[in-house]
Amino acid sequence: HVDGQFFRVPTRHRLSLKNTLPRYRARKTLERYKRYMKGQTLGEILRSGALLADVSCDFKHGLLKFVPTFKGTRIEEPLPKSQWPPGIRVKDGHAPWWLPMNWAHGVKTTCRSYLPVFIAPDGATYYHQQVVQAIVKEDLRTNTERIVAAAQSRISEMKDWHGDPVQFDPDKRLFACLTKEERNYLP
């Protein structure tokens, strides 16, 4: 992900890496960098041992450049349930209103207590709104995208907020409230 946005990048995408070793790296990440720094495509550096976090970090620090330009497509949909990490099941009900539309929401099954989990488009899992907010670099308290989409979906299905069918009172009750003069205007 780059600047809070998640992208799908083809593994054949060409790139260039600086041959100088970064000084800010820990020993293990530096060893990985030495193994994959000769790669010419994204697929090659991943096969050489680079992690997705390495690619993201190198891109942010200017060590990695996509040639000729970055050609990723923004991920708009949440990760399919078949690709979720193990130990997570689908949560009953709807996702929190603040959760970005391309994130999934489940429940951890390996914990004795109820533990909601938020699944990023890249499959990483997080447990707190503040962490998700820091990753997407957006104030999620003002994100009404999901709540509007849920309301539009419920209205089109003729259901209320809880998912129950909407029931309208018969017009007779309304007409009973009208005065005799008002009823004279009715067709």
Side-chain angles (χ1 to χ4, degrees):
H1 66 93
V2 178
D3 292 330
Q5 302 292 319
F6 289 84
F7 295 92
R8 190 168 283 116
V9 181
T11 54
R12 64 184 180 281
H13 198 311
R14 296 192 53 76
L15 49 85
S16 69
L17 285 156
K18 288 188 177 179
N19 286 330
T20 57
L21 297 176
R23 294 184 181 177
Y24 62 89
R25 292 282 181 115
R27 186 174 54 88
K28 285 186 179 181
T29 57
L30 193 58
E31 289 171 9
R32 275 199 313 268
Y33 188 80
K34 287 177 185 177
R35 284 197 312 262
Y36 70 78
M37 66 189 263
K38 302 276 189 236
Q40 298 292 314
T41 65
L42 183 61
E44 285 178 19
I45 68 168
L46 291 174
R47 284 190 295 277
S48 299
L51 302 176
L52 291 176
D54 294 332
V55 175
S56 180
C57 182
D58 291 345
F59 184 70
K60 287 177 191 171
H61 287 95
L63 294 172
L64 178 147
K65 291 189 179 176
F66 289 96
V67 179
T69 59
F70 179 68
K71 294 179 184 168
T73 55
R74 189 171 183 266
I75 299 175
E76 302 288 342
E77 297 293 320
L79 192 66
K81 292 169 190 71
S82 61
Q83 296 177 14
W84 285 12
I88 299 173
R89 71 170 170 81
V90 177
K91 183 197 174 297
D92 298 332
H94 55 82
W97 63 268
W98 53 264
L99 193 65
M101 294 297 283
N102 60 352
W103 284 60
H105 181 230
V107 176
K108 195 80 169 146
T109 59
T110 56
C111 183
R112 288 183 183 222
S113 64
Y114 175 80
L115 183 60
V117 60
F118 310 112
I119 305 156
D122 64 356
T125 57
Y126 304 96
Y127 302 95
H128 303 285
Q129 178 182 357
Q130 295 86 352
V131 177
V132 174
Q133 187 167 305
I135 291 168
V136 299
K137 297 180 181 173
E138 179 184 334
D139 186 3
L140 296 175
R141 295 170 296 180
T142 61
N143 181 5
T144 57
E145 185 177 279
R146 185 177 290 272
I147 203 164
V148 169
Q152 289 172 337
S153 169
R154 296 294 166 101
I155 289 170
S156 68
E157 297 169 0
M158 294 298 291
K159 294 184 178 180
D160 66 9
W161 191 248
H162 302 288
D164 300 325
V166 176
Q167 295 183 2
F168 297 101
D169 290 332
D171 291 339
K172 291 179 186 178
R173 288 184 59 189
L174 171 67
F175 296 151
C177 297
L178 299 176
T179 65
K180 189 173 186 176
E181 291 174 3
E182 291 170 328
R183 273 187 246 142
N184 288 337
Y185 293 104
L186 293 175

